[in-house]
Amino acid sequence: MIDFSMYEVKAPKIQACKCEGCGEIFYPAPMICSKCGARRDPVTGKGWSTFDLEGPCTLLAWTRVWNLPEGYTKKFLQFGIVQFENGLRASGRVEVGEPKTGMKLTATVEESDERPGKPVNVFVFR
């Protein structure tokens, strides 16, 4: 029997950071904690921990972009800013028919290759 576990495809993730000195959480991660002044080592991340940022969130604001660059097959894209239950905020694509400010959504992360260069992980709110 062949073991295919080494070929397992990992789901894309976006991580937030937590300062181990005071417990403050951030997204994106700063170099210096604004609460206690602790520095984050940019290479090792020493003194800070990370956690996956996704799940339930509330839509704070959104917009619809109609004039897309050449190559897009959609008529428009929707983007929004959400607030997670832990208070962190993030922006990403909104994929619901009729978005309403204040509506509850779920944040997931997808790999996007819609732009030139290497694919990047992006938030998608549904």
Side-chain angles (χ1 to χ4, degrees), residues 46-70:
K46 186 177 178 186
W48 294 66
S49 60
T50 60
F51 59 95
D52 295 338
L53 190 57
E54 58 188 350
C57 55
T58 303
L59 186 61
L60 300 178
W62 67 277
T63 190
R64 189 172 285 148
V65 178
W66 290 92
N67 192 13
L68 299 175
E70 185 178 333

PDB file of all heavy atoms in Angstrom, residues 46-70:
ATOM      1  N   LYS A  46      10.113  35.527  17.995  1.00  0.00           N
ATOM      2  CA  LYS A  46      10.303  35.294  19.429  1.00  0.00           C
ATOM      3  C   LYS A  46       9.499  36.294  20.266  1.00  0.00           C
ATOM      4  O   LYS A  46       9.478  37.487  19.987  1.00  0.00           O
ATOM      5  CB  LYS A  46      11.788  35.399  19.773  1.00  0.00           C
ATOM      6  CG  LYS A  46      12.106  35.033  21.192  1.00  0.00           C
ATOM      7  CD  LYS A  46      13.591  35.092  21.455  1.00  0.00           C
ATOM      8  CE  LYS A  46      13.856  34.772  22.908  1.00  0.00           C
ATOM      9  NZ  LYS A  46      15.251  34.942  23.242  1.00  0.00           N
ATOM     10  N   GLY A  47       8.827  35.783  21.286  1.00  0.00           N
ATOM     11  CA  GLY A  47       8.030  36.614  22.180  1.00  0.00           C
ATOM     12  C   GLY A  47       6.596  36.795  21.705  1.00  0.00           C
ATOM     13  O   GLY A  47       5.792  37.428  22.370  1.00  0.00           O
ATOM     14  N   TRP A  48       6.269  36.234  20.534  1.00  0.00           N
ATOM     15  CA  TRP A  48       4.925  36.359  19.967  1.00  0.00           C
ATOM     16  C   TRP A  48       4.459  34.977  19.522  1.00  0.00           C
ATOM     17  O   TRP A  48       5.247  34.168  19.070  1.00  0.00           O
ATOM     18  CB  TRP A  48       4.941  37.288  18.759  1.00  0.00           C
ATOM     19  CG  TRP A  48       5.280  38.703  19.094  1.00  0.00           C
ATOM     20  CD1 TRP A  48       6.470  39.161  19.563  1.00  0.00           C
ATOM     21  CD2 TRP A  48       4.435  39.830  18.991  1.00  0.00           C
ATOM     22  NE1 TRP A  48       6.416  40.530  19.748  1.00  0.00           N
ATOM     23  CE2 TRP A  48       5.177  40.956  19.406  1.00  0.00           C
ATOM     24  CE3 TRP A  48       3.126  40.018  18.570  1.00  0.00           C
ATOM     25  CZ2 TRP A  48       4.648  42.240  19.421  1.00  0.00           C
ATOM     26  CZ3 TRP A  48       2.599  41.294  18.583  1.00  0.00           C
ATOM     27  CH2 TRP A  48       3.350  42.392  19.013  1.00  0.00           C
ATOM     28  N   SER A  49       3.175  34.719  19.633  1.00  0.00           N
ATOM     29  CA  SER A  49       2.619  33.476  19.116  1.00  0.00           C
ATOM     30  C   SER A  49       1.665  33.818  17.972  1.00  0.00           C
ATOM     31  O   SER A  49       1.264  34.967  17.816  1.00  0.00           O
ATOM     32  CB  SER A  49       1.888  32.712  20.219  1.00  0.00           C
ATOM     33  OG  SER A  49       0.827  33.475  20.748  1.00  0.00           O
ATOM     34  N   THR A  50       1.318  32.830  17.181  1.00  0.00           N
ATOM     35  CA  THR A  50       0.409  33.053  16.060  1.00  0.00           C
ATOM     36  C   THR A  50      -0.806  32.145  16.193  1.00  0.00           C
ATOM     37  O   THR A  50      -0.760  31.115  16.865  1.00  0.00           O
ATOM     38  CB  THR A  50       1.097  32.772  14.711  1.00  0.00           C
ATOM     39  OG1 THR A  50       1.536  31.423  14.684  1.00  0.00           O
ATOM     40  CG2 THR A  50       2.271  33.708  14.493  1.00  0.00           C
ATOM     41  N   PHE A  51      -1.891  32.558  15.563  1.00  0.00           N
ATOM     42  CA  PHE A  51      -3.097  31.738  15.514  1.00  0.00           C
ATOM     43  C   PHE A  51      -3.813  32.032  14.201  1.00  0.00           C
ATOM     44  O   PHE A  51      -3.674  33.110  13.635  1.00  0.00           O
ATOM     45  CB  PHE A  51      -4.000  31.985  16.730  1.00  0.00           C
ATOM     46  CG  PHE A  51      -4.469  33.403  16.884  1.00  0.00           C
ATOM     47  CD1 PHE A  51      -5.691  33.814  16.381  1.00  0.00           C
ATOM     48  CD2 PHE A  51      -3.688  34.347  17.554  1.00  0.00           C
ATOM     49  CE1 PHE A  51      -6.127  35.125  16.528  1.00  0.00           C
ATOM     50  CE2 PHE A  51      -4.113  35.661  17.709  1.00  0.00           C
ATOM     51  CZ  PHE A  51      -5.343  36.052  17.190  1.00  0.00           C
ATOM     52  N   ASP A  52      -4.553  31.031  13.723  1.00  0.00           N
ATOM     53  CA  ASP A  52      -5.285  31.179  12.463  1.00  0.00           C
ATOM     54  C   ASP A  52      -6.440  32.147  12.652  1.00  0.00           C
ATOM     55  O   ASP A  52      -7.170  32.068  13.640  1.00  0.00           O
ATOM     56  CB  ASP A  52      -5.809  29.830  11.976  1.00  0.00           C
ATOM     57  CG  ASP A  52      -4.690  28.873  11.608  1.00  0.00           C
ATOM     58  OD1 ASP A  52      -3.571  29.344  11.332  1.00  0.00           O
ATOM     59  OD2 ASP A  52      -4.945  27.653  11.603  1.00  0.00           O
ATOM     60  N   LEU A  53      -6.603  33.039  11.712  1.00  0.00           N
ATOM     61  CA  LEU A  53      -7.669  34.034  11.761  1.00  0.00           C
ATOM     62  C   LEU A  53      -8.722  33.655  10.732  1.00  0.00           C
ATOM     63  O   LEU A  53      -8.505  33.780   9.528  1.00  0.00           O
ATOM     64  CB  LEU A  53      -7.101  35.427  11.474  1.00  0.00           C
ATOM     65  CG  LEU A  53      -8.027  36.611  11.706  1.00  0.00           C
ATOM     66  CD1 LEU A  53      -8.532  36.639  13.136  1.00  0.00           C
ATOM     67  CD2 LEU A  53      -7.302  37.913  11.398  1.00  0.00           C
ATOM     68  N   GLU A  54      -9.841  33.151  11.202  1.00  0.00           N
ATOM     69  CA  GLU A  54     -10.981  32.821  10.355  1.00  0.00           C
ATOM     70  C   GLU A  54     -12.161  32.500  11.249  1.00  0.00           C
ATOM     71  O   GLU A  54     -12.033  32.452  12.461  1.00  0.00           O
ATOM     72  CB  GLU A  54     -10.677  31.661   9.396  1.00  0.00           C
ATOM     73  CG  GLU A  54     -10.243  30.384  10.040  1.00  0.00           C
ATOM     74  CD  GLU A  54      -9.775  29.355   9.009  1.00  0.00           C
ATOM     75  OE1 GLU A  54      -9.958  29.561   7.806  1.00  0.00           O
ATOM     76  OE2 GLU A  54      -9.230  28.339   9.428  1.00  0.00           O
ATOM     77  N   GLY A  55     -13.327  32.330  10.650  1.00  0.00           N
ATOM     78  CA  GLY A  55     -14.515  31.980  11.412  1.00  0.00           C
ATOM     79  C   GLY A  55     -15.542  33.095  11.414  1.00  0.00           C
ATOM     80  O   GLY A  55     -15.564  33.950  10.526  1.00  0.00           O
ATOM     81  N   PRO A  56     -16.419  33.117  12.434  1.00  0.00           N
ATOM     82  CA  PRO A  56     -17.511  34.094  12.483  1.00  0.00           C
ATOM     83  C   PRO A  56     -17.002  35.537  12.532  1.00  0.00           C
ATOM     84  O   PRO A  56     -16.015  35.834  13.205  1.00  0.00           O
ATOM     85  CB  PRO A  56     -18.250  33.755  13.776  1.00  0.00           C
ATOM     86  CG  PRO A  56     -17.803  32.385  14.139  1.00  0.00           C
ATOM     87  CD  PRO A  56     -16.445  32.209  13.574  1.00  0.00           C
ATOM     88  N   CYS A  57     -17.713  36.412  11.815  1.00  0.00           N
ATOM     89  CA  CYS A  57     -17.349  37.821  11.784  1.00  0.00           C
ATOM     90  C   CYS A  57     -18.579  38.645  11.412  1.00  0.00           C
ATOM     91  O   CYS A  57     -19.597  38.098  10.995  1.00  0.00           O
ATOM     92  CB  CYS A  57     -16.202  38.071  10.803  1.00  0.00           C
ATOM     93  SG  CYS A  57     -16.524  37.491   9.129  1.00  0.00           S
ATOM     94  N   THR A  58     -18.460  39.973  11.580  1.00  0.00           N
ATOM     95  CA  THR A  58     -19.545  40.900  11.265  1.00  0.00           C
ATOM     96  C   THR A  58     -19.071  41.871  10.204  1.00  0.00           C
ATOM     97  O   THR A  58     -17.982  42.440  10.320  1.00  0.00           O
ATOM     98  CB  THR A  58     -19.964  41.673  12.530  1.00  0.00           C
ATOM     99  OG1 THR A  58     -20.341  40.732  13.538  1.00  0.00           O
ATOM    100  CG2 THR A  58     -21.113  42.617  12.246  1.00  0.00           C
ATOM    101  N   LEU A  59     -19.889  42.082   9.180  1.00  0.00           N
ATOM    102  CA  LEU A  59     -19.539  42.998   8.095  1.00  0.00           C
ATOM    103  C   LEU A  59     -19.702  44.440   8.562  1.00  0.00           C
ATOM    104  O   LEU A  59     -20.787  44.859   8.953  1.00  0.00           O
ATOM    105  CB  LEU A  59     -20.438  42.728   6.876  1.00  0.00           C
ATOM    106  CG  LEU A  59     -20.133  43.497   5.603  1.00  0.00           C
ATOM    107  CD1 LEU A  59     -18.723  43.192   5.093  1.00  0.00           C
ATOM    108  CD2 LEU A  59     -21.162  43.167   4.532  1.00  0.00           C
ATOM    109  N   LEU A  60     -18.601  45.202   8.542  1.00  0.00           N
ATOM    110  CA  LEU A  60     -18.614  46.604   8.979  1.00  0.00           C
ATOM    111  C   LEU A  60     -18.867  47.562   7.819  1.00  0.00           C
ATOM    112  O   LEU A  60     -19.541  48.579   7.978  1.00  0.00           O
ATOM    113  CB  LEU A  60     -17.296  46.970   9.655  1.00  0.00           C
ATOM    114  CG  LEU A  60     -16.917  46.168  10.897  1.00  0.00           C
ATOM    115  CD1 LEU A  60     -15.554  46.623  11.404  1.00  0.00           C
ATOM    116  CD2 LEU A  60     -17.973  46.296  11.974  1.00  0.00           C
ATOM    117  N   ALA A  61     -18.285  47.257   6.660  1.00  0.00           N
ATOM    118  CA  ALA A  61     -18.428  48.119   5.479  1.00  0.00           C
ATOM    119  C   ALA A  61     -18.136  47.275   4.251  1.00  0.00           C
ATOM    120  O   ALA A  61     -17.409  46.285   4.328  1.00  0.00           O
ATOM    121  CB  ALA A  61     -17.448  49.286   5.546  1.00  0.00           C
ATOM    122  N   TRP A  62     -18.704  47.664   3.104  1.00  0.00           N
ATOM    123  CA  TRP A  62     -18.442  46.922   1.877  1.00  0.00           C
ATOM    124  C   TRP A  62     -18.593  47.839   0.669  1.00  0.00           C
ATOM    125  O   TRP A  62     -19.177  48.911   0.756  1.00  0.00           O
ATOM    126  CB  TRP A  62     -19.365  45.709   1.752  1.00  0.00           C
ATOM    127  CG  TRP A  62     -20.798  46.058   1.552  1.00  0.00           C
ATOM    128  CD1 TRP A  62     -21.705  46.386   2.512  1.00  0.00           C
ATOM    129  CD2 TRP A  62     -21.484  46.156   0.306  1.00  0.00           C
ATOM    130  NE1 TRP A  62     -22.917  46.676   1.941  1.00  0.00           N
ATOM    131  CE2 TRP A  62     -22.811  46.534   0.590  1.00  0.00           C
ATOM    132  CE3 TRP A  62     -21.122  45.950  -1.018  1.00  0.00           C
ATOM    133  CZ2 TRP A  62     -23.767  46.718  -0.411  1.00  0.00           C
ATOM    134  CZ3 TRP A  62     -22.063  46.130  -2.013  1.00  0.00           C
ATOM    135  CH2 TRP A  62     -23.370  46.499  -1.702  1.00  0.00           C
ATOM    136  N   THR A  63     -18.024  47.399  -0.458  1.00  0.00           N
ATOM    137  CA  THR A  63     -18.143  48.133  -1.709  1.00  0.00           C
ATOM    138  C   THR A  63     -18.154  47.141  -2.861  1.00  0.00           C
ATOM    139  O   THR A  63     -17.685  46.009  -2.731  1.00  0.00           O
ATOM    140  CB  THR A  63     -17.010  49.159  -1.886  1.00  0.00           C
ATOM    141  OG1 THR A  63     -17.307  49.989  -2.996  1.00  0.00           O
ATOM    142  CG2 THR A  63     -15.667  48.485  -2.089  1.00  0.00           C
ATOM    143  N   ARG A  64     -18.680  47.586  -3.982  1.00  0.00           N
ATOM    144  CA  ARG A  64     -18.728  46.769  -5.194  1.00  0.00           C
ATOM    145  C   ARG A  64     -17.867  47.467  -6.248  1.00  0.00           C
ATOM    146  O   ARG A  64     -18.063  48.640  -6.526  1.00  0.00           O
ATOM    147  CB  ARG A  64     -20.174  46.653  -5.660  1.00  0.00           C
ATOM    148  CG  ARG A  64     -20.393  45.662  -6.766  1.00  0.00           C
ATOM    149  CD  ARG A  64     -21.876  45.456  -7.025  1.00  0.00           C
ATOM    150  NE  ARG A  64     -22.453  44.643  -5.963  1.00  0.00           N
ATOM    151  CZ  ARG A  64     -23.703  44.755  -5.520  1.00  0.00           C
ATOM    152  NH1 ARG A  64     -24.507  45.648  -6.040  1.00  0.00           N
ATOM    153  NH2 ARG A  64     -24.143  43.976  -4.559  1.00  0.00           N
ATOM    154  N   VAL A  65     -16.932  46.734  -6.830  1.00  0.00           N
ATOM    155  CA  VAL A  65     -16.036  47.284  -7.847  1.00  0.00           C
ATOM    156  C   VAL A  65     -16.486  46.769  -9.212  1.00  0.00           C
ATOM    157  O   VAL A  65     -16.484  45.561  -9.460  1.00  0.00           O
ATOM    158  CB  VAL A  65     -14.568  46.872  -7.580  1.00  0.00           C
ATOM    159  CG1 VAL A  65     -13.649  47.416  -8.660  1.00  0.00           C
ATOM    160  CG2 VAL A  65     -14.134  47.341  -6.201  1.00  0.00           C
ATOM    161  N   TRP A  66     -16.882  47.698 -10.089  1.00  0.00           N
ATOM    162  CA  TRP A  66     -17.404  47.343 -11.416  1.00  0.00           C
ATOM    163  C   TRP A  66     -16.339  47.367 -12.497  1.00  0.00           C
ATOM    164  O   TRP A  66     -16.378  46.592 -13.428  1.00  0.00           O
ATOM    165  CB  TRP A  66     -18.534  48.302 -11.808  1.00  0.00           C
ATOM    166  CG  TRP A  66     -19.756  48.110 -11.004  1.00  0.00           C
ATOM    167  CD1 TRP A  66     -20.089  48.748  -9.848  1.00  0.00           C
ATOM    168  CD2 TRP A  66     -20.825  47.202 -11.260  1.00  0.00           C
ATOM    169  NE1 TRP A  66     -21.297  48.297  -9.366  1.00  0.00           N
ATOM    170  CE2 TRP A  66     -21.768  47.352 -10.234  1.00  0.00           C
ATOM    171  CE3 TRP A  66     -21.085  46.284 -12.275  1.00  0.00           C
ATOM    172  CZ2 TRP A  66     -22.939  46.612 -10.181  1.00  0.00           C
ATOM    173  CZ3 TRP A  66     -22.252  45.555 -12.223  1.00  0.00           C
ATOM    174  CH2 TRP A  66     -23.164  45.720 -11.187  1.00  0.00           C
ATOM    175  N   ASN A  67     -15.414  48.290 -12.453  1.00  0.00           N
ATOM    176  CA  ASN A  67     -14.439  48.470 -13.522  1.00  0.00           C
ATOM    177  C   ASN A  67     -13.210  47.599 -13.248  1.00  0.00           C
ATOM    178  O   ASN A  67     -12.182  48.088 -12.796  1.00  0.00           O
ATOM    179  CB  ASN A  67     -14.069  49.951 -13.622  1.00  0.00           C
ATOM    180  CG  ASN A  67     -13.291  50.246 -14.875  1.00  0.00           C
ATOM    181  OD1 ASN A  67     -13.222  49.422 -15.771  1.00  0.00           O
ATOM    182  ND2 ASN A  67     -12.697  51.416 -14.926  1.00  0.00           N
ATOM    183  N   LEU A  68     -13.319  46.320 -13.566  1.00  0.00           N
ATOM    184  CA  LEU A  68     -12.242  45.377 -13.278  1.00  0.00           C
ATOM    185  C   LEU A  68     -11.203  45.372 -14.394  1.00  0.00           C
ATOM    186  O   LEU A  68     -11.524  45.647 -15.550  1.00  0.00           O
ATOM    187  CB  LEU A  68     -12.830  43.969 -13.123  1.00  0.00           C
ATOM    188  CG  LEU A  68     -13.844  43.808 -11.999  1.00  0.00           C
ATOM    189  CD1 LEU A  68     -14.444  42.418 -12.032  1.00  0.00           C
ATOM    190  CD2 LEU A  68     -13.224  44.096 -10.650  1.00  0.00           C
ATOM    191  N   PRO A  69      -9.963  45.036 -14.053  1.00  0.00           N
ATOM    192  CA  PRO A  69      -8.923  44.957 -15.081  1.00  0.00           C
ATOM    193  C   PRO A  69      -9.229  43.861 -16.105  1.00  0.00           C
ATOM    194  O   PRO A  69     -10.002  42.944 -15.844  1.00  0.00           O
ATOM    195  CB  PRO A  69      -7.664  44.603 -14.286  1.00  0.00           C
ATOM    196  CG  PRO A  69      -7.982  44.874 -12.874  1.00  0.00           C
ATOM    197  CD  PRO A  69      -9.456  44.775 -12.720  1.00  0.00           C
ATOM    198  N   GLU A  70      -8.597  43.960 -17.233  1.00  0.00           N
ATOM    199  CA  GLU A  70      -8.766  42.962 -18.282  1.00  0.00           C
ATOM    200  C   GLU A  70      -8.398  41.582 -17.746  1.00  0.00           C
ATOM    201  O   GLU A  70      -7.451  41.428 -16.984  1.00  0.00           O
ATOM    202  CB  GLU A  70      -7.853  43.317 -19.463  1.00  0.00           C
ATOM    203  CG  GLU A  70      -8.031  42.410 -20.643  1.00  0.00           C
ATOM    204  CD  GLU A  70      -7.161  42.818 -21.810  1.00  0.00           C
ATOM    205  OE1 GLU A  70      -6.821  44.015 -21.914  1.00  0.00           O
ATOM    206  OE2 GLU A  70      -6.827  41.947 -22.607  1.00  0.00           O
TER     207      GLU A  70
END
